[in-house]
């Protein structure tokens, strides 16, 4: 049975993984329930390796009128991926916190003409340590992330975003 939500009604949080590795298939299923548009974005796989979160995506649900990737869908994917990156990192730390995008920008370099992969990493190598320090000192923090979208070996889009971890309620 699907939950019916109204605006302003938060979706229940996914339980923390409690000392075990996050099951990304379970996280992706929860994500689709929490944010209904996720099911339409064509995410076929999520993989975490080191500081990188990589998604494999299908082009078909993201087509524009020219038969290539729709910029609005690609932008939504980068924003959501950054939110997921921070949320998954927090969950790894045993923290259930609210995350919001504070700033985002994109640069379109080439048309996306086939299925593609999107890779998200911290913009700065020290970004994670800085975020951890801010959370410890001020109970809130920010991290800058970068995204690269590849269609085959062609870099089609570069994006960046700043994501804020809000204070505990």
């Amino acid at each position: 049975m699907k939950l019916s939500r109204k605006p302003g009604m938060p979706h229940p949080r996914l339980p923390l993984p409690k000392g075990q590795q996050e099951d990304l298939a379970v996280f992706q299923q929860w994500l689709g329930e929490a944010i209904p548009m996720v099911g339409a974005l064509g995410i076929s796989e999520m993989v975490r390796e080191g500081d990188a979160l990589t998604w494999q995506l299908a082009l078909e649900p993201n087509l524009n009128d020219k038969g290539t990737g729709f910029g609005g869908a690609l932008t939504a994917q980068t924003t959501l991926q950054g939110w997921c990156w921070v949320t998954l990192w927090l969950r790894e730390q045993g923290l259930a916190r609210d995350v919001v995008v504070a700033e985002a920008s994109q640069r379109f370099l080439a048309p996306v003409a086939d299925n593609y992969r999107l890779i998200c990493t911290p913009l700065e190598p020290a970004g994670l340590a800085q975020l951890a320090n801010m959370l410890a000192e001020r109970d809130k923090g920010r991290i800058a992330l970068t995204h690269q979208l590849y269609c085959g070996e062609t870099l089609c889009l570069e994006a960046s975003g700043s994501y804020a971890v809000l204070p505990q309620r």
Side-chain angles (χ1 to χ4, degrees):
M1 176 175 155
K2 275 199 137 167
L3 288 176
S4 177
R5 274 187 17 233
K6 295 180 180 155
M9 180 186 295
H11 187 74
R13 289 187 191 269
L14 184 65
L16 292 170
K18 304 245 189 227
Q20 58 195 21
Q21 190 168 12
E22 185 84 49
D23 182 333
L24 292 179
V26 171
F27 179 79
Q28 187 174 345
Q29 179 180 347
W30 170 85
L31 188 64
E33 294 165 2
I35 304 171
M37 72 176 271
V38 167
L41 293 178
I43 304 166
S44 61
E45 182 181 26
M46 288 187 187
V47 176
R48 289 186 73 205
E49 290 181 315
D51 287 346
L53 175 62
T54 302
W55 289 359
Q56 299 294 328
L57 296 116
L59 175 60
E60 190 174 347
N62 301 295
L63 288 172
N64 64 17
D65 59 316
K66 295 165 232 21
T68 59
F70 173 57
L74 304 177
T75 297
Q77 291 165 352
T78 61
T79 301
L80 178 64
Q81 188 186 42
W83 181 91
C84 287
W85 190 100
V86 177
T87 298
L88 287 166
W89 180 82
L90 288 165
R91 292 173 56 74
E92 214 173 65
Q93 312 311 305
L95 302 171
R97 301 289 291 277
D98 287 331
V99 176
V100 296
V101 61
E103 295 177 48
S105 66
Q106 303 77 34
R107 197 174 111 195
F108 298 90
L109 306 169
V112 177
D114 202 349
N115 295 340
Y116 51 100
R117 71 187 179 284
L118 188 57
I119 305 163
C120 179
T121 57
L123 183 63
E124 299 291 332
L128 271 177
Q130 291 169 348
L131 176 59
N133 287 340
M134 285 185 270
L135 289 172
E137 292 172 8
R138 293 185 264 159
D139 194 39
K140 63 182 181 177
R142 260 192 196 208
I143 188 166
L145 301 174
T146 185
H147 309 268
Q148 294 181 314
L149 186 154
Y150 289 92
C151 189
E153 296 304 312
T154 304
L155 178 61
C156 298
L157 176 142
E158 291 179 316
S160 62
S162 176
Y163 296 83
V165 179
L166 302 179
Q168 293 183 65
R169 301 188 245 165

